[in-house]
Amino acid sequence: MSKFDEKIALYQGAMKDLGISFNADLFAKVTKGLGPSIYKKDAETVSGSDAKELATVKNNFLMKKLGLSDGAKLDNAIEAVMEKMGKSNRNKYRAIVYYLLVKELGQESKY
């Protein structure tokens, strides 16, 4: 099993634990799009309580990568995803957060 497949299995297990249903193909594509960040302990997770980190998710992923316009819709989507992941959940894996944002905002066609 490759390192990438191991990460996919880890993230899918975390989603099952959270009761989140997912499309495995889309999830793999979103995860692949994260590149080497999934292998770095600090970059692998998102801090849901750090406003600066959430702004980075919004600017770098939602606006730059997905090409969305800034607005309350993006902030609401981020808030909804953080709620789904659980406020007290310390392992908010970036791949899961980004996948949920893609689904929340209906951006599946970008992948």
PDB file of all heavy atoms in Angstrom, residues 42-71:
ATOM      1  N   ASP A  42       1.978  19.227  10.567  1.00  0.00           N
ATOM      2  CA  ASP A  42       1.346  20.514  10.826  1.00  0.00           C
ATOM      3  C   ASP A  42       0.392  20.927   9.706  1.00  0.00           C
ATOM      4  O   ASP A  42      -0.679  21.459   9.953  1.00  0.00           O
ATOM      5  CB  ASP A  42       2.412  21.596  11.045  1.00  0.00           C
ATOM      6  CG  ASP A  42       1.806  22.905  11.499  1.00  0.00           C
ATOM      7  OD1 ASP A  42       0.965  22.883  12.420  1.00  0.00           O
ATOM      8  OD2 ASP A  42       2.154  23.956  10.930  1.00  0.00           O
ATOM      9  N   ALA A  43       0.771  20.683   8.463  1.00  0.00           N
ATOM     10  CA  ALA A  43      -0.047  21.103   7.317  1.00  0.00           C
ATOM     11  C   ALA A  43      -1.223  20.167   7.074  1.00  0.00           C
ATOM     12  O   ALA A  43      -2.177  20.535   6.387  1.00  0.00           O
ATOM     13  CB  ALA A  43       0.827  21.178   6.068  1.00  0.00           C
ATOM     14  N   GLU A  44      -1.174  18.982   7.650  1.00  0.00           N
ATOM     15  CA  GLU A  44      -2.196  17.968   7.413  1.00  0.00           C
ATOM     16  C   GLU A  44      -3.542  18.317   8.059  1.00  0.00           C
ATOM     17  O   GLU A  44      -4.581  17.864   7.615  1.00  0.00           O
ATOM     18  CB  GLU A  44      -1.688  16.629   7.958  1.00  0.00           C
ATOM     19  CG  GLU A  44      -2.635  15.486   7.774  1.00  0.00           C
ATOM     20  CD  GLU A  44      -2.126  14.182   8.366  1.00  0.00           C
ATOM     21  OE1 GLU A  44      -1.450  14.208   9.426  1.00  0.00           O
ATOM     22  OE2 GLU A  44      -2.406  13.151   7.770  1.00  0.00           O
ATOM     23  N   THR A  45      -3.500  19.147   9.099  1.00  0.00           N
ATOM     24  CA  THR A  45      -4.725  19.490   9.816  1.00  0.00           C
ATOM     25  C   THR A  45      -5.038  20.979   9.709  1.00  0.00           C
ATOM     26  O   THR A  45      -4.179  21.787   9.398  1.00  0.00           O
ATOM     27  CB  THR A  45      -4.626  19.106  11.309  1.00  0.00           C
ATOM     28  OG1 THR A  45      -3.512  19.762  11.883  1.00  0.00           O
ATOM     29  CG2 THR A  45      -4.491  17.599  11.488  1.00  0.00           C
ATOM     30  N   VAL A  46      -6.288  21.304   9.991  1.00  0.00           N
ATOM     31  CA  VAL A  46      -6.767  22.687   9.984  1.00  0.00           C
ATOM     32  C   VAL A  46      -7.222  23.020  11.397  1.00  0.00           C
ATOM     33  O   VAL A  46      -7.951  22.251  12.009  1.00  0.00           O
ATOM     34  CB  VAL A  46      -7.957  22.849   9.010  1.00  0.00           C
ATOM     35  CG1 VAL A  46      -8.579  24.229   9.121  1.00  0.00           C
ATOM     36  CG2 VAL A  46      -7.540  22.557   7.586  1.00  0.00           C
ATOM     37  N   SER A  47      -6.791  24.168  11.900  1.00  0.00           N
ATOM     38  CA  SER A  47      -7.247  24.618  13.206  1.00  0.00           C
ATOM     39  C   SER A  47      -8.546  25.395  13.027  1.00  0.00           C
ATOM     40  O   SER A  47      -8.549  26.488  12.462  1.00  0.00           O
ATOM     41  CB  SER A  47      -6.184  25.514  13.850  1.00  0.00           C
ATOM     42  OG  SER A  47      -6.710  26.102  15.014  1.00  0.00           O
ATOM     43  N   GLY A  48      -9.632  24.816  13.504  1.00  0.00           N
ATOM     44  CA  GLY A  48     -10.940  25.444  13.342  1.00  0.00           C
ATOM     45  C   GLY A  48     -11.139  26.678  14.200  1.00  0.00           C
ATOM     46  O   GLY A  48     -12.039  27.471  13.964  1.00  0.00           O
ATOM     47  N   SER A  49     -10.269  26.881  15.198  1.00  0.00           N
ATOM     48  CA  SER A  49     -10.424  28.032  16.085  1.00  0.00           C
ATOM     49  C   SER A  49      -9.457  29.168  15.737  1.00  0.00           C
ATOM     50  O   SER A  49      -9.502  30.224  16.350  1.00  0.00           O
ATOM     51  CB  SER A  49     -10.198  27.603  17.533  1.00  0.00           C
ATOM     52  OG  SER A  49      -8.897  27.080  17.678  1.00  0.00           O
ATOM     53  N   ASP A  50      -8.601  28.962  14.746  1.00  0.00           N
ATOM     54  CA  ASP A  50      -7.619  29.968  14.355  1.00  0.00           C
ATOM     55  C   ASP A  50      -8.139  30.744  13.144  1.00  0.00           C
ATOM     56  O   ASP A  50      -8.170  30.229  12.021  1.00  0.00           O
ATOM     57  CB  ASP A  50      -6.289  29.280  14.024  1.00  0.00           C
ATOM     58  CG  ASP A  50      -5.172  30.253  13.676  1.00  0.00           C
ATOM     59  OD1 ASP A  50      -5.455  31.466  13.541  1.00  0.00           O
ATOM     60  OD2 ASP A  50      -4.029  29.802  13.533  1.00  0.00           O
ATOM     61  N   ALA A  51      -8.545  31.992  13.378  1.00  0.00           N
ATOM     62  CA  ALA A  51      -9.122  32.816  12.311  1.00  0.00           C
ATOM     63  C   ALA A  51      -8.149  32.983  11.139  1.00  0.00           C
ATOM     64  O   ALA A  51      -8.565  33.003   9.976  1.00  0.00           O
ATOM     65  CB  ALA A  51      -9.524  34.176  12.861  1.00  0.00           C
ATOM     66  N   LYS A  52      -6.865  33.096  11.449  1.00  0.00           N
ATOM     67  CA  LYS A  52      -5.864  33.261  10.389  1.00  0.00           C
ATOM     68  C   LYS A  52      -5.814  32.018   9.491  1.00  0.00           C
ATOM     69  O   LYS A  52      -5.735  32.113   8.270  1.00  0.00           O
ATOM     70  CB  LYS A  52      -4.489  33.529  11.016  1.00  0.00           C
ATOM     71  CG  LYS A  52      -3.421  33.876  10.018  1.00  0.00           C
ATOM     72  CD  LYS A  52      -2.112  34.201  10.706  1.00  0.00           C
ATOM     73  CE  LYS A  52      -1.044  34.498   9.652  1.00  0.00           C
ATOM     74  NZ  LYS A  52       0.282  34.586  10.233  1.00  0.00           N
ATOM     75  N   GLU A  53      -5.865  30.848  10.114  1.00  0.00           N
ATOM     76  CA  GLU A  53      -5.850  29.595   9.347  1.00  0.00           C
ATOM     77  C   GLU A  53      -7.101  29.461   8.480  1.00  0.00           C
ATOM     78  O   GLU A  53      -7.029  29.046   7.330  1.00  0.00           O
ATOM     79  CB  GLU A  53      -5.741  28.401  10.293  1.00  0.00           C
ATOM     80  CG  GLU A  53      -5.863  27.082   9.597  1.00  0.00           C
ATOM     81  CD  GLU A  53      -4.672  26.183   9.776  1.00  0.00           C
ATOM     82  OE1 GLU A  53      -3.931  26.357  10.746  1.00  0.00           O
ATOM     83  OE2 GLU A  53      -4.498  25.307   8.932  1.00  0.00           O
ATOM     84  N   LEU A  54      -8.254  29.815   9.032  1.00  0.00           N
ATOM     85  CA  LEU A  54      -9.495  29.733   8.267  1.00  0.00           C
ATOM     86  C   LEU A  54      -9.493  30.734   7.113  1.00  0.00           C
ATOM     87  O   LEU A  54     -10.014  30.440   6.029  1.00  0.00           O
ATOM     88  CB  LEU A  54     -10.702  29.946   9.181  1.00  0.00           C
ATOM     89  CG  LEU A  54     -10.896  28.869  10.256  1.00  0.00           C
ATOM     90  CD1 LEU A  54     -12.092  29.192  11.130  1.00  0.00           C
ATOM     91  CD2 LEU A  54     -11.024  27.483   9.650  1.00  0.00           C
ATOM     92  N   ALA A  55      -8.866  31.885   7.306  1.00  0.00           N
ATOM     93  CA  ALA A  55      -8.737  32.860   6.226  1.00  0.00           C
ATOM     94  C   ALA A  55      -7.843  32.304   5.119  1.00  0.00           C
ATOM     95  O   ALA A  55      -8.096  32.530   3.930  1.00  0.00           O
ATOM     96  CB  ALA A  55      -8.170  34.175   6.757  1.00  0.00           C
ATOM     97  N   THR A  56      -6.812  31.568   5.502  1.00  0.00           N
ATOM     98  CA  THR A  56      -5.925  30.942   4.515  1.00  0.00           C
ATOM     99  C   THR A  56      -6.681  29.897   3.707  1.00  0.00           C
ATOM    100  O   THR A  56      -6.518  29.814   2.484  1.00  0.00           O
ATOM    101  CB  THR A  56      -4.699  30.300   5.217  1.00  0.00           C
ATOM    102  OG1 THR A  56      -4.004  31.326   5.928  1.00  0.00           O
ATOM    103  CG2 THR A  56      -3.773  29.636   4.230  1.00  0.00           C
ATOM    104  N   VAL A  57      -7.506  29.094   4.371  1.00  0.00           N
ATOM    105  CA  VAL A  57      -8.328  28.099   3.672  1.00  0.00           C
ATOM    106  C   VAL A  57      -9.220  28.812   2.659  1.00  0.00           C
ATOM    107  O   VAL A  57      -9.321  28.407   1.497  1.00  0.00           O
ATOM    108  CB  VAL A  57      -9.183  27.281   4.672  1.00  0.00           C
ATOM    109  CG1 VAL A  57     -10.255  26.464   3.956  1.00  0.00           C
ATOM    110  CG2 VAL A  57      -8.296  26.380   5.511  1.00  0.00           C
ATOM    111  N   LYS A  58      -9.841  29.888   3.105  1.00  0.00           N
ATOM    112  CA  LYS A  58     -10.747  30.637   2.227  1.00  0.00           C
ATOM    113  C   LYS A  58     -10.001  31.237   1.042  1.00  0.00           C
ATOM    114  O   LYS A  58     -10.402  31.064  -0.111  1.00  0.00           O
ATOM    115  CB  LYS A  58     -11.455  31.733   3.028  1.00  0.00           C
ATOM    116  CG  LYS A  58     -12.457  32.531   2.198  1.00  0.00           C
ATOM    117  CD  LYS A  58     -13.357  33.347   3.090  1.00  0.00           C
ATOM    118  CE  LYS A  58     -13.037  34.786   3.000  1.00  0.00           C
ATOM    119  NZ  LYS A  58     -13.987  35.616   3.753  1.00  0.00           N
ATOM    120  N   ASN A  59      -8.888  31.926   1.324  1.00  0.00           N
ATOM    121  CA  ASN A  59      -8.151  32.605   0.249  1.00  0.00           C
ATOM    122  C   ASN A  59      -7.452  31.638  -0.702  1.00  0.00           C
ATOM    123  O   ASN A  59      -7.579  31.758  -1.917  1.00  0.00           O
ATOM    124  CB  ASN A  59      -7.126  33.582   0.834  1.00  0.00           C
ATOM    125  CG  ASN A  59      -7.789  34.747   1.529  1.00  0.00           C
ATOM    126  OD1 ASN A  59      -8.850  35.196   1.134  1.00  0.00           O
ATOM    127  ND2 ASN A  59      -7.167  35.224   2.593  1.00  0.00           N
ATOM    128  N   ASN A  60      -6.704  30.700  -0.147  1.00  0.00           N
ATOM    129  CA  ASN A  60      -5.892  29.825  -0.987  1.00  0.00           C
ATOM    130  C   ASN A  60      -6.672  28.695  -1.651  1.00  0.00           C
ATOM    131  O   ASN A  60      -6.363  28.322  -2.776  1.00  0.00           O
ATOM    132  CB  ASN A  60      -4.720  29.238  -0.194  1.00  0.00           C
ATOM    133  CG  ASN A  60      -3.721  30.291   0.197  1.00  0.00           C
ATOM    134  OD1 ASN A  60      -3.780  31.434  -0.244  1.00  0.00           O
ATOM    135  ND2 ASN A  60      -2.784  29.924   1.047  1.00  0.00           N
ATOM    136  N   PHE A  61      -7.641  28.146  -0.956  1.00  0.00           N
ATOM    137  CA  PHE A  61      -8.385  27.031  -1.545  1.00  0.00           C
ATOM    138  C   PHE A  61      -9.651  27.503  -2.258  1.00  0.00           C
ATOM    139  O   PHE A  61      -9.810  27.276  -3.453  1.00  0.00           O
ATOM    140  CB  PHE A  61      -8.723  25.983  -0.492  1.00  0.00           C
ATOM    141  CG  PHE A  61      -9.467  24.801  -1.054  1.00  0.00           C
ATOM    142  CD1 PHE A  61      -8.849  23.948  -1.947  1.00  0.00           C
ATOM    143  CD2 PHE A  61     -10.783  24.557  -0.707  1.00  0.00           C
ATOM    144  CE1 PHE A  61      -9.536  22.867  -2.494  1.00  0.00           C
ATOM    145  CE2 PHE A  61     -11.472  23.477  -1.240  1.00  0.00           C
ATOM    146  CZ  PHE A  61     -10.850  22.628  -2.129  1.00  0.00           C
ATOM    147  N   LEU A  62     -10.535  28.147  -1.519  1.00  0.00           N
ATOM    148  CA  LEU A  62     -11.830  28.498  -2.105  1.00  0.00           C
ATOM    149  C   LEU A  62     -11.724  29.560  -3.197  1.00  0.00           C
ATOM    150  O   LEU A  62     -12.352  29.436  -4.245  1.00  0.00           O
ATOM    151  CB  LEU A  62     -12.786  28.968  -1.003  1.00  0.00           C
ATOM    152  CG  LEU A  62     -13.127  27.928   0.062  1.00  0.00           C
ATOM    153  CD1 LEU A  62     -14.028  28.526   1.125  1.00  0.00           C
ATOM    154  CD2 LEU A  62     -13.760  26.697  -0.559  1.00  0.00           C
ATOM    155  N   MET A  63     -10.919  30.585  -2.960  1.00  0.00           N
ATOM    156  CA  MET A  63     -10.848  31.676  -3.924  1.00  0.00           C
ATOM    157  C   MET A  63      -9.823  31.416  -5.035  1.00  0.00           C
ATOM    158  O   MET A  63     -10.134  31.573  -6.213  1.00  0.00           O
ATOM    159  CB  MET A  63     -10.579  32.991  -3.200  1.00  0.00           C
ATOM    160  CG  MET A  63     -11.760  33.402  -2.324  1.00  0.00           C
ATOM    161  SD  MET A  63     -11.438  34.722  -1.149  1.00  0.00           S
ATOM    162  CE  MET A  63     -11.014  36.062  -2.210  1.00  0.00           C
ATOM    163  N   LYS A  64      -8.617  31.023  -4.667  1.00  0.00           N
ATOM    164  CA  LYS A  64      -7.579  30.814  -5.688  1.00  0.00           C
ATOM    165  C   LYS A  64      -7.771  29.506  -6.444  1.00  0.00           C
ATOM    166  O   LYS A  64      -7.809  29.486  -7.666  1.00  0.00           O
ATOM    167  CB  LYS A  64      -6.181  30.858  -5.065  1.00  0.00           C
ATOM    168  CG  LYS A  64      -5.753  32.249  -4.665  1.00  0.00           C
ATOM    169  CD  LYS A  64      -4.348  32.248  -4.083  1.00  0.00           C
ATOM    170  CE  LYS A  64      -3.972  33.645  -3.607  1.00  0.00           C
ATOM    171  NZ  LYS A  64      -2.724  33.618  -2.836  1.00  0.00           N
ATOM    172  N   LYS A  65      -7.875  28.398  -5.725  1.00  0.00           N
ATOM    173  CA  LYS A  65      -7.942  27.088  -6.389  1.00  0.00           C
ATOM    174  C   LYS A  65      -9.299  26.852  -7.062  1.00  0.00           C
ATOM    175  O   LYS A  65      -9.358  26.394  -8.192  1.00  0.00           O
ATOM    176  CB  LYS A  65      -7.635  25.973  -5.400  1.00  0.00           C
ATOM    177  CG  LYS A  65      -7.598  24.610  -6.053  1.00  0.00           C
ATOM    178  CD  LYS A  65      -6.628  23.695  -5.390  1.00  0.00           C
ATOM    179  CE  LYS A  65      -6.614  22.365  -6.099  1.00  0.00           C
ATOM    180  NZ  LYS A  65      -5.310  21.879  -6.363  1.00  0.00           N
ATOM    181  N   LEU A  66     -10.385  27.142  -6.337  1.00  0.00           N
ATOM    182  CA  LEU A  66     -11.710  26.889  -6.900  1.00  0.00           C
ATOM    183  C   LEU A  66     -12.260  28.085  -7.683  1.00  0.00           C
ATOM    184  O   LEU A  66     -13.258  27.952  -8.385  1.00  0.00           O
ATOM    185  CB  LEU A  66     -12.694  26.488  -5.799  1.00  0.00           C
ATOM    186  CG  LEU A  66     -12.381  25.180  -5.059  1.00  0.00           C
ATOM    187  CD1 LEU A  66     -13.466  24.885  -4.036  1.00  0.00           C
ATOM    188  CD2 LEU A  66     -12.209  24.016  -6.010  1.00  0.00           C
ATOM    189  N   GLY A  67     -11.634  29.252  -7.545  1.00  0.00           N
ATOM    190  CA  GLY A  67     -12.050  30.430  -8.306  1.00  0.00           C
ATOM    191  C   GLY A  67     -13.359  31.045  -7.855  1.00  0.00           C
ATOM    192  O   GLY A  67     -14.069  31.657  -8.645  1.00  0.00           O
ATOM    193  N   LEU A  68     -13.680  30.906  -6.577  1.00  0.00           N
ATOM    194  CA  LEU A  68     -14.930  31.470  -6.052  1.00  0.00           C
ATOM    195  C   LEU A  68     -14.721  32.911  -5.593  1.00  0.00           C
ATOM    196  O   LEU A  68     -13.616  33.307  -5.242  1.00  0.00           O
ATOM    197  CB  LEU A  68     -15.427  30.609  -4.883  1.00  0.00           C
ATOM    198  CG  LEU A  68     -15.685  29.143  -5.217  1.00  0.00           C
ATOM    199  CD1 LEU A  68     -16.011  28.356  -3.958  1.00  0.00           C
ATOM    200  CD2 LEU A  68     -16.817  29.018  -6.220  1.00  0.00           C
ATOM    201  N   SER A  69     -15.809  33.671  -5.585  1.00  0.00           N
ATOM    202  CA  SER A  69     -15.752  35.060  -5.139  1.00  0.00           C
ATOM    203  C   SER A  69     -15.928  35.126  -3.628  1.00  0.00           C
ATOM    204  O   SER A  69     -16.713  34.363  -3.051  1.00  0.00           O
ATOM    205  CB  SER A  69     -16.862  35.876  -5.798  1.00  0.00           C
ATOM    206  OG  SER A  69     -16.733  35.818  -7.199  1.00  0.00           O
ATOM    207  N   ASP A  70     -15.216  36.062  -3.016  1.00  0.00           N
ATOM    208  CA  ASP A  70     -15.311  36.250  -1.572  1.00  0.00           C
ATOM    209  C   ASP A  70     -16.722  36.687  -1.198  1.00  0.00           C
ATOM    210  O   ASP A  70     -17.393  37.365  -1.965  1.00  0.00           O
ATOM    211  CB  ASP A  70     -14.292  37.315  -1.129  1.00  0.00           C
ATOM    212  CG  ASP A  70     -14.115  37.347   0.384  1.00  0.00           C
ATOM    213  OD1 ASP A  70     -14.696  36.494   1.081  1.00  0.00           O
ATOM    214  OD2 ASP A  70     -13.375  38.222   0.865  1.00  0.00           O
ATOM    215  N   GLY A  71     -17.151  36.285  -0.037  1.00  0.00           N
ATOM    216  CA  GLY A  71     -18.472  36.690   0.426  1.00  0.00           C
ATOM    217  C   GLY A  71     -18.923  35.849   1.607  1.00  0.00           C
ATOM    218  O   GLY A  71     -18.237  34.922   2.035  1.00  0.00           O
TER     219      GLY A  71
END
